[in-house]
Amino acid sequence: MSGTFTKAMARNIFYGGTVFFFLLLVALTVDTTTNLHKSDNSANLTPQVVAGKHIWETRNCIGCHTLLGEGAYFAPELGNVYPRRGPEFIKAWIQSQPTGAPGRRQMPQFHLTDQELDDLVAFLKYTSEINAQKWPPNIEG
Amino acid sequence: MKYTSQSVALPYFIAAIGLFVGQIVFGLAMGLQYVVGDFLFPEIPFNVARMVHTNLLIVWLLFGFMGAAYYLIPEETETELYSPKLALLMFWIFLIAGAATILGYLFVDYNTLAEMTGNNILATMGREFLEQPLLTKIGIVIVALAFLFNISMTMLKGRKTVISIVMLLGLWGLAIFFLFSFYNPGNLVKDKFYWWWVVHLWVEGVWELIMAAMLAFVLIKVTGVDREVIEKWLYVIITLALVTGLIGTGHHYFWIGTPGYWQWWGSIFSALEPIPFFAMTVFAFNMVNRRRREHPNKAAVLWALGTGVMAFLGAGVWGFLHTLAPVNFYTHGSQITAAHGHMAFYGAYVLVVLTIISYAMPLLRGRAANSQRAQVVEMWSFWLMTISMVFITLFLTAAGILQVWLQRVSDTPMPFMQVQDQISLFYWMRLWAGVVFAVGLVTYVASFFVKGESKPLITP
Ligand code: HEM
Ligand code: HEM
Ligand SMILES: [Fe+2]
């Protein structure tokens, strides 16, 4: 780097650039927040859905599965499991774990009550109705 | 070592290496669970092993960053650390809290752990990388504040170099963005949106400042290149990092229920994110080529150059591979993501911490450099770990391409689990590469115990 480009200039560009782009991020965040209701399915964000999210978190489902493509890659995507499998299948599946099939990846038994299962399914239904810009590409997730 | 208080870095570095070993043990366990699904089940289900693996990674890197700060801040500011006692106290608090959390994951049912630790008061758990109980999260904040207080006070009374300012900015940013981990709204989209303010703004934002400062410090020491030159580079690199990385956050806002315009913002800015990593590569090689002295610690130079190359490959190249929205539509949340996550974390943050350890450890042990033999062993460990990480990445990328093809692109998409069976060969190969990585890590640890005539410390 040549002599005309001084350290003071580099420093000023750093602070100026950082402040500018941070403020731009904040501005985009404000815009996203104001428009989020159009895509985040919050119209259907019932207390039951919130309860279901709590079950999802306290059983650490994200430690094996993805949800809208984020999480672990050990087990299937669950953002669209509601349309893929339907509510009854999901509940029966959770209740029947682990399969115990030798050598197969195993899912733990969580001993959820009927109420908790319904909450969880409500959460998965709500998640599947979020407008995720047509992701995933197909029903297999 | 010029200031006696720099020696508090030593326990931090030792803890970092110890936890690194733990991380890899659980990585191998998961690598086996990928192909032998019921391995260790139900004692250690995959999700538990994964929490241990990723949280140990984060915690040991934090130990590394803190140790680095305690080592380099006194030397840069030319004054003793404000309070070495506070630094040691925080070391023990952090270590004990960290160990208790890991043991909690392993021996207490996660739901019970959540109930025991106040998750019903403020629910923050059960989100990827942020699985720590509320108490642990609060502990992290306390340790971080005490640490920042200590470092900031040191700097206030000493010389303010660019390296120390950038290091401090990065560390403050790390602590501030961690606060978003306490925000967990019921609205899943908002939850995910701000989750990335911790994860992305860490690794593609403030951590890059920490990394660049650590690299610059070691490069000044081992090359003797003029500080003015190095500091100018440092500013340019971190400018590029934040200018691209802040809006680059948008590459995570494509498919999570956020407005469609993020596909443009995210794609364009994150496509530029490789530039600061490339600048770091050029920086490292340039400085070493222009070196004014032959530093006896050859291993440290190797780690520093390795950081430049591998960070660019892992973050820059593998990041770019899947960062454009039309590509990410297919690769999102696949083994390609895992491939990139591994090489980026290894190339950038693992290697930069090992670089500073390699440089500082001999000095902390009272010598300018380790013996020739010890350095050769250390360099072997560099090559073993680095080459096996390249193979881990390649195998996961191959698995990812097949996965995307069979499950998402094909006209007759296959279900997830069926696809996993189809690609298990690549998971086996990843596991073997992982075993070589573990051999490399054992070699690394062994290098600290190799005897031989070391270079005596001559303080300049
Ligand atoms: C013996 C070597 C290793 C093996 C076998 C291994 C294996 C694994 C496995 C199976 C996962 C879970 C993937 C999933 O969710 O399905 C994982 C996640 C992860 N590992 Fe490793 N690992 C190893 C070394 C490392 C190293 C050295 C690092 C850090 C540089 C690392 C960083 C990570 C990260 C960041 C994740 C989360 C990835 C993501 O969310 O995309 N691992 N690892
Ligand atoms: C050292 C810096 C970096 C590290 C440590 C890192 C690490 C990671 C990790 C662990 C993930 C997975 C997160 C999850 O579990 O959901 C991820 C995702 C991602 N990274 Fe990076 N990354 C770095 C830099 C970059 C850069 C420079 C780019 C772009 C050029 C990039 C592009 C991406 C993208 C697009 C994803 C999302 C993948 C998906 O949709 O599944 N990363 N990164
Ligand atoms: Fe990112």
Side-chain angles (χ1 to χ4, degrees):
Chain A
M1 264 170 269
S2 69
T4 48
F5 182 68
T6 63
K7 197 169 81 185
M9 287 161 74
R11 183 195 56 211
N12 295 342
I13 296 173
F14 167 67
Y15 284 111
T18 301
V19 170
F20 179 82
F21 283 97
F22 186 72
L23 291 177
L24 182 57
L25 178 62
V26 171
L28 287 167
T29 299
V30 170
D31 184 77
T32 295
T33 313
T34 12
N35 290 304
L36 207 58
H37 61 94
K38 293 178 197 158
S39 54
D40 69 0
N41 194 25
S42 49
N44 296 314
L45 189 60
T46 60
Q48 189 181 23
V49 170
V50 175
K53 182 168 183 274
H54 193 72
I55 306 291
W56 168 268
E57 287 166 359
T58 51
R59 271 59 177 187
N60 192 227
C61 308
I62 203 81
C64 290
H65 295 275
T66 44
L67 191 67
L68 301 184
E70 294 169 2
Y73 323 112
F74 188 69
E77 162 69 28
L78 296 184
N80 67 344
V81 70
Y82 189 88
R84 183 166 66 240
R85 301 292 203 176
E88 293 315 315
F89 179 97
I90 296 172
K91 288 194 270 187
W93 172 266
I94 294 171
Q95 282 175 313
S96 65
Q97 298 308 304
T99 61
R104 194 181 159 81
R105 297 183 190 172
Q106 297 293 316
M107 171 165 154
Q109 172 54 250
F110 295 110
H111 306 288
L112 300 181
T113 63
D114 286 344
Q115 179 65 50
E116 289 170 330
L117 285 168
D118 286 335
D119 295 348
L120 193 54
V121 166
F123 170 67
L124 292 171
K125 178 170 190 292
Y126 145 86
T127 305
S128 72
E129 290 161 359
I130 289 171
N131 175 358
Q133 312 289 334
K134 303 210 164 55
W135 195 89
N138 64 57
I139 196 69
E140 297 301 347
Chain B
M1 204 173 69
K2 297 189 177 119
Y3 297 87
T4 47
S5 55
Q6 285 177 286
S7 62
V8 296
L10 187 64
Y12 281 86
F13 290 155
I14 294 173
I17 296 169
L19 297 174
F20 184 16
V21 174
Q23 183 211 339
I24 297 310
V25 169
F26 283 87
L28 289 175
M30 278 194 292
L32 193 50
Q33 283 176 332
Y34 246 85
V35 278
V36 182
D38 52 0
F39 177 64
L40 291 181
F41 190 87
E43 287 73 26
I44 306 181
F46 181 84
N47 63 324
V48 172
R50 193 181 201 272
M51 280 194 285
V52 176
H53 179 68
T54 56
N55 290 19
L56 278 177
L57 166 67
I58 296 166
V59 170
W60 86 256
L61 292 177
L62 293 181
F63 267 113
F65 292 166
M66 288 196 273
Y70 286 131
Y71 187 86
L72 70 80
I73 293 288
E75 195 157 323
E76 283 289 303
T77 58
E78 296 185 337
T79 171
E80 292 287 351
L81 192 63
Y82 177 74
S83 170
K85 281 212 185 73
L86 182 63
L88 278 179
L89 178 70
M90 285 305 130
F91 169 78
W92 287 109
I93 293 181
F94 199 44
L95 188 65
I96 291 167
T101 303
I102 300 298
L103 293 177
Y105 291 159
L106 286 171
F107 297 107
V108 185
D109 167 56
Y110 193 68
N111 179 39
T112 317
L113 186 67
E115 274 173 15
M116 279 164 48
T117 53
N119 195 58
N120 290 332
I121 303 167
L122 181 65
T124 67
M125 292 171 69
R127 296 172 305 147
E128 194 194 1
F129 304 132
L130 304 182
E131 296 94 348
Q132 310 81 20
L134 181 63
L135 287 176
T136 308
K137 288 201 181 82
I138 294 173
I140 294 175
V141 171
I142 292 172
V143 169
L145 284 180
F147 161 75
L148 287 168
F149 168 75
N150 208 350
I151 295 287
S152 305
M153 291 305 282
T154 311
M155 198 157 126
L156 283 179
K157 71 186 171 91
R159 185 174 70 139
K160 289 155 196 69
T161 65
V162 176
I163 290 182
S164 56
I165 292 171
V166 173
M167 184 78 180
L168 212 69
L169 277 175
L171 291 164
W172 271 102
L174 186 158
I176 287 167
F177 285 114
F178 183 68
L179 296 179
F180 284 96
S181 73
F182 291 93
Y183 179 62
N184 179 20
N187 183 331
L188 181 68
V189 180
K190 276 193 188 153
D191 167 7
K192 284 175 172 291
F193 188 91
Y194 287 104
W195 181 85
W196 285 110
W197 282 51
V198 185
V199 178
H200 172 96
L201 291 180
W202 265 14
V203 301
E204 290 156 76
V206 290
W207 284 29
E208 282 184 65
L209 270 59
I210 300 172
M211 172 185 174
M214 287 165 64
L215 201 56
F217 175 80
V218 174
L219 286 172
I220 286 188
K221 299 294 165 182
V222 299
T223 66
V225 170
D226 189 17
R227 182 178 278 277
E228 278 296 302
V229 178
I230 288 196
E231 290 183 339
K232 221 190 292 182
W233 269 95
L234 183 54
Y235 270 131
V236 171
I237 289 170
I238 62 174
T239 305
L240 290 168
L242 293 186
V243 163
T244 60
L246 285 166
I247 308 296
T249 318
H251 64 180
H252 304 293
Y253 298 160
F254 297 158
W255 332 112
I256 62 165
T258 34
Y261 59 65
W262 282 109
Q263 293 180 26
W264 289 99
W265 289 104
S267 296
I268 292 170
F269 278 86
S270 70
L272 303 173
E273 281 184 42
I275 299 173
F277 287 99
F278 185 65
M280 274 194 252
T281 320
V282 177
F283 171 53
F285 276 89
N286 212 321
M287 294 307 114
V288 170
N289 284 339
R290 286 160 62 171
R291 67 185 175 278
R292 296 236 194 99
R293 68 163 83 107
E294 293 300 329
H295 197 279
N297 193 340
K298 295 272 179 292
V301 179
L302 178 64
W303 290 107
L305 293 176
T307 309
V309 174
M310 296 304 292
F312 175 65
L313 276 182
V317 177
W318 255 260
F320 183 78
L321 269 182
H322 62 163
T323 206
L324 299 174
V327 177
N328 191 263
F329 182 69
Y330 290 101
T331 61
H332 183 45
S334 68
Q335 295 300 324
I336 304 214
T337 312
H340 155 69
H342 276 87
M343 200 171 358
F345 256 108
Y346 176 78
Y349 300 117
V350 169
L351 284 184
V352 82
V353 168
L354 298 188
T355 299
I356 195 136
I357 292 181
S358 176
Y359 169 73
M361 200 64 138
L363 296 158
L364 289 165
R365 297 167 87 194
R367 49 183 95 133
N370 290 327
S371 70
Q372 203 58 41
R373 279 180 54 216
Q375 286 197 43
V376 169
V377 177
E378 190 183 336
M379 291 197 254
W380 265 95
S381 79
F382 168 86
W383 289 111
L384 282 170
M385 287 195 280
T386 301
I387 292 174
S388 58
M389 185 49 85
V390 168
F391 277 98
I392 289 178
T393 307
L394 290 174
F395 294 144
L396 287 179
T397 305
I401 292 172
L402 286 172
Q403 177 189 22
V404 165
W405 185 263
L406 295 172
Q407 190 185 315
R408 293 179 175 168
V409 177
S410 147
D411 290 335
T412 48
M414 259 189 223
F416 178 93
M417 290 305 289
Q418 225 165 299
V419 172
Q420 295 300 303
D421 284 340
Q422 295 279 319
I423 59 184
S424 62
L425 173 66
F426 291 96
Y427 293 139
W428 277 112
M429 295 201 283
R430 181 265 302 267
L431 180 61
W432 290 118
V435 170
V436 178
F437 190 96
V439 172
L441 181 56
V442 171
T443 311
Y444 177 68
V445 174
S447 75
F448 289 92
F449 300 95
V450 174
K451 298 272 185 307
E453 202 179 327
S454 55
K455 299 275 183 312
L457 191 62
I458 316 153
T459 336

